[in-house]
């Protein structure tokens, strides 16, 4: 369905501790790993949709990607670029709340 798109699952194991590693995981480490995993899944779905629709620019929007969430924005940009072989660009809306309100307004008849 999506052509030659690499699966995400092999890369998701990188957030787990290595074999033989000792010590407790800190909450912030687990939170960061979860945030990166969620961002990778979002990037993978967006990339597969872009391939299917034959578009090069992927626009991300929403409160999850506000200016305070630079980690997810970097992750989305990196994996979008990686999986597309440099052909796709991740774009982020600065005023995502306005875009959502405008979309809701346009769908009301």
């Amino acid at each position: 369905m999506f052509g030659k798109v690499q699966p995400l699952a092999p890369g998701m194991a990188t957030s787990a501790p290595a074999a033989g590693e000792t010590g407790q995981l800190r909450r912030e480490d687990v939170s960061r790993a979860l945030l990166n995993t969620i961002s990778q899944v979002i990037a993978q779905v967006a990339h597969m949709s872009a391939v299917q629709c034959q578009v090069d620019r992927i626009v991300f929007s929403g409160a999850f990607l506000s200016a305070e969430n630079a980690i997810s924005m970097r992750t989305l940009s990196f994996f979008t670029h990686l999986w597309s072989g440099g052909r796709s660009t991740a774009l982020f809306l600065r005023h995502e709340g306005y875009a959502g309100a405008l979309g809701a307004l346009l769908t009301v008849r």
Side-chain angles (χ1 to χ4, degrees):
M1 176 178 181
F2 290 113
K4 295 182 178 182
V5 176
Q6 297 297 320
L8 177 66
M12 291 178 66
T14 59
S15 57
E21 213 174 280
T22 61
Q24 293 289 334
L25 290 177
R26 299 178 310 184
R27 287 179 182 244
E28 52 268 23
D29 294 334
V30 174
S31 296
R32 175 81 181 252
L34 183 59
L35 180 62
N36 281 334
T37 300
I38 291 168
S39 298
Q40 287 179 22
V41 170
I42 292 170
Q44 180 73 23
V45 170
H47 170 66
M48 290 188 303
S49 296
V51 168
Q52 187 177 24
C53 296
Q54 300 176 354
V55 296
D56 294 329
R57 290 176 285 175
I58 303 171
V59 179
F60 294 97
S61 177
F64 177 71
L65 297 171
S66 63
E68 294 85 31
N69 196 351
I71 295 170
S72 289
M73 292 172 74
R74 272 196 311 268
T75 303
L76 289 171
S77 294
F78 175 79
F79 281 102
T80 299
H81 182 79
L82 176 73
W83 287 322
S84 70
R87 292 183 306 274
S88 293
T89 304
L91 304 171
F92 302 93
L93 297 181
R94 182 172 293 162
H95 301 288
E96 71 279 343
Y98 175 76
L102 186 59
L105 178 67
L106 293 174
T107 59
V108 175
R109 300 224 176 213

